[in-house]
Amino acid sequence: MSIEKKEIHGSGDKWAESLQSVFDLTLENQGPERTAQLLKKLTDRLRASQTELPRGFNTPYVNTIPPEQQPPFPGDWQMERRIKSYIRWNAMAMVVKANSTTNVGGHISTYASAATLYEVGFNHFFRGRTENFPGDLVYFQGHAAPGMYARAFLEGRLDERHLQNFRQELAEGGGLSSYPHPYLMPEFWQFPTVSMGLGPLLSIYQARFNRYLQARGLAKWTEEPKVWCFVGDGESDEPETLGSLTLASRENLDNLIWVVNCNLQRLDGPVRGNGKIIQELEAAFLGAGWNVIKLIWGSDWDDLLARDKSGLLVKRMEEAVDGDYQKYSVEPGSYTRRHFFGKYPELLELVNHLTDDQIRKLLRGGHDTRKVHAAYKAAFEHKGRPTVILAKTVKGYGLGEAGEGRNITHQQKKLNEKELREFRARFNIPISDDIIAEAPFYRPSADSPETKYLLERRKTLGGFLPSRKVNPAASKLDVPKPDYFAEFFKGSNTEASTTMAFVRLISVLLRHKGLSRHIVPIIPDEARTFGLDALFKDIGIYSSKGQLYEPVDSQSLLYYNEKKDGQILEEGITEAGSMSSFIAAGTSYATHDVPMIPFYIYYSMFGPQRVGDLFWLAGDIRAKGFLLGATSGRTTLNGEGLQHQDGHSLLHASTMPTLLAYDPAFAYEIAVIIADGLRRMYAEGEEIFYYLSLYNENYTMPPMSAGVEDGILKGLYKFRSGVEGKKNKAHIFGSGPIINSALKAQEILAERYGVSADVWSATSYKLLRTDALRCKRWNMLHPTAAPKKSYVETLLAKEQGTFVAVSDYMRLVPDQIAPWVPGGLMTLGTDGFGRSDTRARLRRFFEVDAESTVIATLYALAEKGLVKREVVAKAIKDLGVDPEKVQPQIV
Ligand SMILES: Cc1ncc(C[n+]2csc(CCOP(=O)(O)OP(=O)(O)O)c2C)c(N)n1
Ligand SMILES: [Mg+2]
């Protein structure tokens, strides 16, 4: 390769001249690599003398791949341009049509800017799923969805009716979801991406999970799939987008390719009007250790750059800010000539041979098929590091007056007839004048060269994308029968917490032949908190590098054991990353035909409160597995105080449509729930996931009574009946360790107040409520039929007396079932901010201790006229509860 000589000095600077000649000589005789090494040594010397030097995380504002290194384009680019034009048209028409009769919205300009980026991928790189290959895993930018639908239409996978019903999913015959949602289109979309930042984050953990599967001998491919992620430049502002970049380079994820569509705009306006997003991102990615390919200028610029010997063109390119570049994309060529090139007379001269129209049409890199191909090829072949392609495009490309490069373009949903005609002309769409106003869809016939070409490309690459396929046979596991968990049903004399019970349970599961290999324990730096460090030695911590050092605790039994085929994903302090691993593992049944069972255990406060959108996404993507919110309960986790004490995760969990949320009190309940979860998810194939609250309070775990399994799974069962022969009857629902408040209250009520209270274990208010709502709705819509009765109504129908619930969660958690409890439900819970103190004091403070439960029960009886109010007043006094104490709930 020859490197052009460019002067670095002004005339008359002797020192600079001599340096230059030494440099030129070295370059000529020793070559660029050796020159670079020598220069590095010299700059290191300079640095050692405390001189502040630029760190060099930016390269000039030009393409990383010079024209002479561009490989020949292997396709028929004119053919591909025609195909792309039809897709552009249909993507636009879908949105325009939908909004001519409805207000359902949609986006035109995102795909318009990214069409070439996608089409080069579809025609040359994205590999479909075949027998021995899971397919490349592609995260499409959510707002570009119309383009993916439009392509699927040309491929014959979708028909006109589907396109017509874009964003009208409830229309007759169904419609297309607004964005990529596997929940809504389970055979089409693989990865939800529309919540900005989550797609990029997931893609990193997905690429790493692929390596994990491979290292553990579970991957079924002969050739490794690539993970492609398309990212918006505005999306890069989300902390989730850039937050895990170093994981990808640390893990040498050269199976990961990101394409950042730098159209310089987000929703309201420019991403970095006063700067340059490509340069900013280049520095961030280079700093994080990625391979960075800048794709800024289209081929038309090659000649200009080659002819510019002064370096002024690159200088001008660097001077102009993104706000300027946006302006050049909307103004005529004369404007760019005057304002961009016109700044320096030499540059004006450089474009003298170009007409204004030619200047206007100088392409940006991301719209140039050959350049995009060159960048993808380089990324595809790069070894050792993940690659990011920073591609410069124009938002709303091709929309002309209707929105190309304009600040309103993101929201543009309608085109008038004139604008439609212009679009048609610009992209040569064969649609006649008399129907153009309706923006009809256009699909070339099945035997047209375009359709044949398009289908041939996909066939060669292994099939269509996006596509989600679940192979029912391969996605099932040999799950243990409930009796496998017999030891948990017996109870224990020694005290244990539900967290300890779970740790025991996972170690038992790890001994199960059919299941063991499929278990993925995931922890965000809390293994010791939960006692999971016991697993370190046995199954090892996954590390792609093995263990390059001798761990400080190598002599101990539970030493920190990193292994190349380790099973534990110890993610470090990242709940977002851990959830991403949960999602990658929990969808492995669909992405890889390899069912994996993630058990993700974490501080419950840093679950949905911290990364709730990833919980939501786990539902959308149909992830399976178990989430274990440990150190739960606002009073059970006592010393930690306001930030750690969780009294509301179960409420968050109640908002997730496919999440079964449980709040178990005893070891056997956990075993019953997990055994059934394994059956439903991994034997029956249900695409649901589980949440269990786990606590760190120790108490003896009772044996399981006969016949309670159904109640445990449905959400409520009678745990211990009250003594017979008392005047009054009550029922106390308790969950988690707070059931002990209920049990103690049961004794006090019987001994001192003549009340027989039955204690019930409420394992899931969410499930009880969903079932009750289902029945109520059915009854409402079938008013003359025999009414159905929900589980909770049936269960409580014959019970006498009053009902009280006590929880270590907010009152809203038990309140969920209040409408279906005979005579209403009195609830006690932990509303308000936590405090650090002892459990006993906290439980009194939040009024969920045994004494407060007694008072609430007596009060509920008094409200029904069954107990005198004076009895309640006396109990308050006798039990030492201060009636004027502060109310924990604030507003
Ligand atoms: C978490 C989140 N916040 C806000 C939005 C709303 N939103 C959708 S698109 C968009 C602008 C996207 O800009 P960019 O990432 O540059 O993508 P482009 O459309 O320009 O390709 C915004 C703010 C969202 N989808 N997700
Ligand atoms: Mg953008």
Side-chain angles (χ1 to χ4, degrees), residues 232-234 261-266 271 395:
D233 49 357
N261 175 17
C262 298
N263 56 25
L264 314 187
Q265 288 179 244
R266 44 185 161 81
V271 178
K395 189 140 177 171

Side-chain angles (χ1 to χ4, degrees), residues 349-362:
E349 219 166 280
L350 195 69
V351 290
N352 253 346
H353 65 297
L354 299 179
T355 63
D356 284 350
D357 197 41
Q358 283 171 317
I359 289 185
R360 166 145 180 76
K361 285 186 180 152
L362 287 171

Side-chain angles (χ1 to χ4, degrees), residues 654 659-662 710-717 733-735 760-776 789-796 805 813-821 825:
S654 280
L659 179 61
L660 285 87
Y662 284 101
D710 188 49
I712 294 172
L713 295 173
K714 288 187 169 143
L716 185 68
Y717 69 96
F733 304 159
S735 316
W760 303 65
S761 179
T763 48
S764 180
Y765 288 110
K766 176 186 180 181
L767 294 184
L768 295 173
R769 175 179 166 82
T770 316
D771 172 60
L773 286 174
R774 194 181 296 123
C775 289
K776 189 173 176 178
K789 238 176 173 187
S790 66
Y791 172 72
V792 69
E793 288 168 300
T794 313
L795 190 66
L796 303 181
V813 174
D815 278 345
Q816 291 180 87
I817 64 160
W820 298 278
V821 176
L825 184 65

Side-chain angles (χ1 to χ4, degrees), residues 129 170 181 781:
R129 185 170 181 151
L170 308 178
H181 294 301
L781 295 175

Side-chain angles (χ1 to χ4, degrees), residues 620-848:
D620 184 352
I621 201 170
R622 298 169 175 260
K624 301 181 185 182
F626 297 94
L627 294 159
L628 303 136
T631 52
S632 277
R634 194 153 280 155
T635 67
T636 305
L637 177 63
N638 54 342
E640 292 283 317
L642 182 152
Q643 183 59 67
H644 290 64
Q645 290 166 195
D646 173 23
H648 51 275
S649 278
L650 283 167
L651 267 190
H652 290 293
S654 280
T655 66
M656 315 280 171
T658 52
L659 179 61
L660 285 87
Y662 284 101
D663 192 7
F666 305 122
Y668 67 78
E669 293 178 359
I670 295 177
V672 167
I673 294 162
I674 290 185
D676 199 58
L678 289 171
R679 179 190 64 79
R680 288 182 65 173
M681 293 185 285
Y682 296 95
E684 307 298 331
E686 284 189 65
E687 293 170 3
I688 50 177
F689 63 131
Y690 281 69
Y691 176 79
L692 278 77
S693 291
L694 296 180
Y695 300 81
N696 65 353
E697 184 172 359
N698 294 336
Y699 44 91
T700 49
M701 291 291 155
M704 182 166 81
S705 309
V708 296
E709 291 94 329
D710 188 49
I712 294 172
L713 295 173
K714 288 187 169 143
L716 185 68
Y717 69 96
K718 194 179 284 186
F719 173 69
R720 187 175 293 162
S721 299
V723 286
E724 302 275 323
K726 299 288 173 190
K727 185 162 171 269
N728 279 303
K729 186 77 204 167
H731 303 271
I732 310 174
F733 304 159
S735 316
I738 287 291
I739 200 166
N740 295 314
S741 294
L743 290 166
K744 182 126 180 272
Q746 181 184 49
E747 282 173 26
I748 302 172
L749 283 163
E751 282 166 16
R752 295 172 70 171
Y753 301 101
V755 179
S756 160
D758 293 352
V759 171
W760 303 65
S761 179
T763 48
S764 180
Y765 288 110
K766 176 186 180 181
L767 294 184
L768 295 173
R769 175 179 166 82
T770 316
D771 172 60
L773 286 174
R774 194 181 296 123
C775 289
K776 189 173 176 178
R777 172 180 171 277
W778 192 91
N779 293 342
M780 178 182 78
L781 295 175
H782 305 83
T784 55
K788 293 188 180 193
K789 238 176 173 187
S790 66
Y791 172 72
V792 69
E793 288 168 300
T794 313
L795 190 66
L796 303 181
K798 290 196 206 78
E799 303 292 353
Q800 306 296 317
T802 193
F803 293 83
V804 177
V806 57
S807 169
D808 212 1
Y809 277 81
M810 290 174 70
R811 285 180 180 81
L812 267 173
V813 174
D815 278 345
Q816 291 180 87
I817 64 160
W820 298 278
V821 176
L825 184 65
M826 171 91 196
T827 54
L828 298 175
T830 56
D831 300 58
F833 281 136
R835 301 284 194 287
S836 30
D837 212 313
T838 62
R839 277 191 191 123
R841 287 234 281 264
L842 286 174
R843 286 173 182 169
R844 172 59 54 88
F845 177 75
F846 284 107
E847 296 155 25
V848 294

Side-chain angles (χ1 to χ4, degrees), residues 288-310:
W290 284 51
N291 173 41
V292 179
I293 299 176
K294 293 200 289 194
L295 171 53
I296 305 179
W297 310 107
S299 303
D300 317 330
W301 292 86
D302 289 342
D303 168 59
L304 298 179
L305 283 162
R307 288 197 296 112
D308 172 44
K309 301 293 176 206
S310 63

